Amino acid sequence: MLELQDILNACGEEFRQSHPLSPVQAKAFRDILNCRTAVLGAHIDTCDECGFEKISYNSCRNRHCPKCQAFVKEQWIEKQNRYLLNTGYFHVVFTLPDELNPLLLHNQEITYNLFFKAVSQTLLELCTDVKYLGAIPGVTTVLHTWGQNLMYHPHIHCIVTGGGLSSDNQWRTSRKKFFIPVKVLSRKFRGKFLFFLKQAGLSLCPSLYQKEWVVYCKPPFKNVSKVVEYLGRYTHRVAISNNRILELADGKVTFSWRDYRDNKKKTMIVTAVEFIRRFMLHILPHGFRKIRHYGLLAARDKSERISLCKKLTHTLFPRADHHVSTLDKLLIMFGADFNLCPCCGVGHLARAAPAKAIA
């Protein structure tokens, strides 16, 4: 299968000659280029049945690498399952107008933080209003900066509990449809974000105050078990997965994308240099947290709040699994034969010894 790594190998030097990279972009570029190659060292996996040995090259573990997200995602999903409540959940998406793109691109850390601040305050303030819910919900937010065509398109996905904890520690359940009109969400969000930008001394286009900003709510989840599985698809996604890259030929890349204007799957052809340029737009600042929790899920006193909410919503408490080994977790996540020996087909491969000198 053609991978992003192959494109960087074939056309990365041409790209770098005309496109200077920031330190964090340069690191992501190097990491993806070297992922699972001899450059990062290796280890030997040995079959516990026949003794067959296989050299496995180490992963880069960069959060922007398409090959390094599966296990991290599954670990994250397992952890979030502990905080699920027996209630409905809604998926709300906040999108910024295209006119703000240049401002965000040149002030990423400041503006992305303000984006999260405006979204979280909008949701929490409206939810605590007795006109809508009169309670504090649990909110998980994820920043994405891309569209399906890899162009710059910052937006935040929010998973919001369909209910919340009131000031007198009672659980209040929301209506089946999302309990805050999207127009109310949109206008409050617009006012907050523009106010925060002005406070930060960032110049604005006056027309942004009159323009309607896009906030939309997807249909609620059918059952609680789908919530974290659905979230996992968003939290550790990178700008493009390897399975969407179809061809590299004559210095051009063909990839699949979904055009949401007619909801049809299409293919797009761009030069390899343009493809890499688009991908590099989505490298986040060093240490930036793209997943954040608010309300009931905020870090301070979270365990006590969630414990109370589980009692109020009659949620079953999950079995503690701190004693489960990493190997057992892998077996649970990826199935019993994820490390089946390719030689005997009976035994399983396990790490035996370091092999850093292997080329």
Side-chain angles (χ1 to χ4, degrees), residues 93-133:
V93 185
F94 290 80
T95 305
L96 294 172
D98 292 343
E99 292 91 330
L100 284 169
N101 285 357
L103 181 70
L104 268 71
L105 267 173
H106 290 94
N107 303 274
Q108 290 184 41
E109 189 154 12
I110 295 172
T111 55
Y112 291 168
N113 278 321
L114 294 180
F115 193 4
F116 273 110
K117 185 178 179 181
V119 166
S120 60
Q121 288 192 10
T122 296
L123 282 170
L124 293 178
E125 287 179 15
L126 288 173
C127 285
T128 52
D129 188 330
V130 292
K131 184 165 60 175
Y132 300 114
L133 182 63

Side-chain angles (χ1 to χ4, degrees), residues 174-240:
S174 72
R175 297 188 293 271
K176 287 187 178 180
K177 289 188 176 181
F178 193 59
F179 44 93
I180 305 171
V182 290
K183 190 166 281 189
V184 174
L185 278 172
S186 171
R187 291 180 179 175
K188 190 175 186 69
F189 166 61
R190 178 185 65 188
K192 281 189 172 293
F193 190 63
L194 292 178
F195 173 73
F196 293 149
L197 289 178
K198 192 173 181 180
Q199 267 192 328
L202 298 171
S203 57
L204 300 169
C205 174
S207 63
L208 288 168
Y209 290 90
Q210 282 76 47
K211 184 172 183 174
E212 290 291 343
W213 291 22
V214 178
V215 177
Y216 64 95
C217 181
K218 295 189 175 185
F221 297 95
K222 291 182 180 178
N223 56 65
V224 177
S225 65
K226 295 292 182 185
V227 176
V228 173
E229 175 191 333
Y230 187 82
L231 245 186
R233 286 175 16 208
Y234 284 96
T235 52
H236 294 81
R237 183 180 287 178
V238 298
I240 189 166

Side-chain angles (χ1 to χ4, degrees), residues 11 19 32 53 72 76 84 97 115 123 131 256 263 299 323:
C11 307
H19 294 78
I32 296 169
E53 292 185 342
V72 179
W76 186 88
L84 276 181
F115 193 4
L123 282 170
K131 184 165 60 175
S256 64
N263 203 32
H323 63 284

Side-chain angles (χ1 to χ4, degrees), residues 56-76:
S56 295
Y57 292 109
N58 296 329
S59 301
C60 69
R61 298 186 181 182
N62 192 298
R63 62 175 168 171
H64 302 98
C65 176
K67 290 195 286 193
C68 290
Q69 300 307 303
F71 184 51
V72 179
K73 180 187 80 173
E74 295 299 335
Q75 284 181 310
W76 186 88

Side-chain angles (χ1 to χ4, degrees), residues 5 174 187 193 266-267 310 324 333 353 355:
Q5 186 181 56
S174 72
R187 291 180 179 175
F193 190 63
K266 302 177 181 180
T267 58
K310 283 185 174 183
V324 179
M333 292 173 185

